[in-house]
Amino acid sequence: MKTKQRASERKPPWLRTFVPKSSPLVVTVCEGCGLYIIQDRENVWESWDYGLVEGDDLTVAIILGRPVTRVTWLPSVGHPLLRSTFGSRGIMPDGQYLARHMCHLARISVKPFKPPRRGRPSGKPWGWPKLSKQEIAEFKRIWDMPYSQLKHEKTPTNHGRPGR
């Protein structure tokens, strides 16, 4: 009977944000060394250390010959996507990466991942076009109109003329 490997470290709390349940990535414990790792189970299963590799840490990873994968944040779905770099190709100095997990070797980094800032501060409007009082009144009139009456209403076009 196979027993589940126990972690030899505490799980960083930011990993729950980085790898939510909806992600094809999985946070698990390495069976060999007992450290937390991120597994990409979408195609070929690959294991990555959870520390974010960038800047000087990226230089260290390249010098040590440790394979890395590029982290691309997908704000529309709220989780990252990992992209292969094929050696030194695809490595950009401003990119964010994860280093391949190699049992019993020290991690390149333990830096937490922070999702990119939103395009606008929370609580601020999206920058809708300014509407005239007439346009707002027309919207309210149509909004309050019963559906049975709305079916027979002619739709104005962008030029202010009735539609077909």
Side-chain angles (χ1 to χ4, degrees):
M1 183 173 172
K2 191 174 181 179
T3 60
K4 188 174 179 181
Q5 173 74 23
R6 292 188 57 141
S8 61
E9 64 181 346
R10 292 188 64 158
K11 183 177 182 179
W14 61 269
L15 275 175
R16 286 182 186 83
T17 305
F18 184 63
V19 183
K21 293 192 186 299
S22 63
S23 173
L25 304 175
V26 176
V27 176
T28 187
V29 176
C30 176
E31 292 181 8
C33 60
L35 296 178
Y36 279 103
I37 57 173
I38 297 172
Q39 284 187 333
D40 186 355
R41 295 183 176 179
E42 196 165 29
N43 296 317
V44 177
W45 285 21
E46 296 177 309
S47 299
W48 305 96
D49 288 333
Y50 64 74
L52 191 64
V53 177
E54 60 184 355
D56 291 341
D57 291 334
L58 185 56
T59 305
V60 170
I62 292 169
I63 290 170
L64 293 176
R66 185 82 63 98
V68 294
T69 185
R70 187 177 183 93
V71 177
T72 305
W73 185 255
L74 300 172
S76 59
V77 293
H79 64 75
L81 185 64
L82 301 182
R83 293 284 180 216
S84 297
T85 57
F86 303 108
S88 61
R89 290 186 181 171
I91 295 178
M92 308 296 271
D94 62 339
Q96 297 177 320
Y97 301 88
L98 296 177
R100 167 112 2 108
H101 175 71
M102 296 182 172
C103 281
H104 306 292
L105 290 182
R107 289 188 178 107
I108 301 289
S109 171
V110 291
K111 182 179 178 184
F113 180 84
K114 293 182 182 134
R117 291 184 53 103
R118 300 168 85 176
R120 63 175 181 86
S122 59
K124 297 279 185 177
W126 284 94
W128 301 103
K130 302 288 185 226
L131 299 175
S132 68
K133 289 184 180 183
Q134 180 184 2
E135 291 169 320
I136 293 171
E138 178 66 9
F139 174 81
K140 287 180 180 178
R141 181 187 73 79
I142 294 171
W143 184 262
D144 293 333
M145 188 181 296
Y147 178 72
S148 58
Q149 187 181 352
L150 185 61
K151 289 192 306 192
H152 305 292
E153 184 81 12
K154 291 191 177 186
T155 310
T157 63
N158 290 340
H159 306 292
R161 292 176 286 201
R164 298 185 203 282

